[in-house]
Amino acid sequence: MDSKTLHFLSQLAENNNRDWFQANRKLYDAAKADMEQLVGYLIQEVGKFQDLGNIQVKDCLLRINRDIRFSKNKAPYKNNLSAGIGPGGKSSGKIDYYIQIQPHGQTFLGGGMWETTPEQIARYRQEVDYNAQELKTIIEDKDFRAYFPEIHGDALKTVPKGYAKDNPEIELLKRKQLFFMHQYTDKEVSSKDFGKQVLKGIELLKPFTDYMNHVLYNQGE
């Protein structure tokens, strides 16, 4: 990524209003083109080991405009550039590889169970209770854990209904969200091999996203 992209996003965070954005539209267009180049590279490379269908860059990029209708924060723009890469693109509704570019060390690659229905959480808990080893083999792999060192997201403070408190997998069963992420420094983002670094993370993340998509969306098929 061009260092100018991070600089633009940093400036946007300090001047998050329509007048400034329109006056600096060319800077945004350059940053967007930089993001499109990264996403295009990832689509091409991920497509070599996963069927992404015929998705295009535009299918993956998320809008920089914020939905402020129900938010107390009326800033019109996000302070980042982001994309969801996976079969169907950002609108598939399934778990994909989420990449967010944001200055000051807040750039990250992530994926996992985040916005789920009660029915999906029930499926997840049923699967973990039945056979937790499949999931644990993936997320406790040394290479995976080195790149994605901790679980992110909410968990119940009490035991979920229908499960015993002495269940050996109780901590996994408590999860309402199960998300992994790897953060990158601004120096890493601006390096020539940043795309390759993200690709490495996606390759490590794939077994987990495959597992979660099967559990949450393909149950009974």
Side-chain angles (χ1 to χ4, degrees), residues 101-155:
I101 307 299
Q102 189 167 345
H104 311 304
Q106 297 186 68
T107 294
F108 72 90
L109 167 71
M113 183 172 68
W114 194 257
E115 295 180 345
T116 47
T117 66
E119 292 79 8
Q120 288 171 332
I121 294 175
R123 289 181 191 171
Y124 159 76
R125 288 181 177 146
Q126 182 181 40
E127 187 67 24
V128 169
D129 187 45
Y130 174 71
N131 177 23
Q133 193 56 49
E134 184 176 358
L135 173 60
K136 290 168 71 175
T137 296
I138 296 169
I139 65 176
E140 293 178 1
D141 174 80
K142 63 181 180 63
D143 292 331
F144 182 94
R145 185 51 62 92
Y147 209 81
F148 302 102
E150 61 180 297
I151 298 174
H152 296 266
D154 294 335

Side-chain angles (χ1 to χ4, degrees), residues 14-68:
E14 297 174 7
N15 303 277
N16 201 321
N17 62 78
R18 288 183 176 83
D19 289 343
W20 184 90
F21 190 88
Q22 291 304 323
N24 292 273
R25 185 79 194 196
K26 288 184 178 180
L27 296 178
Y28 165 66
D29 289 342
K32 183 182 178 184
D34 195 26
M35 183 67 173
E36 290 173 341
Q37 185 175 5
L38 172 66
V39 173
Y41 166 79
L42 293 173
I43 289 174
Q44 175 183 308
E45 296 303 311
V46 173
K48 294 177 181 178
F49 56 82
Q50 180 173 354
D51 183 6
L52 296 177
N54 295 313
I55 64 166
Q56 305 297 313
V57 171
K58 62 182 176 61
D59 301 321
C60 301
L61 289 180
L62 279 75
R63 299 176 71 235
I64 197 168
N65 301 75
R66 295 182 63 250
D67 184 351
I68 60 175

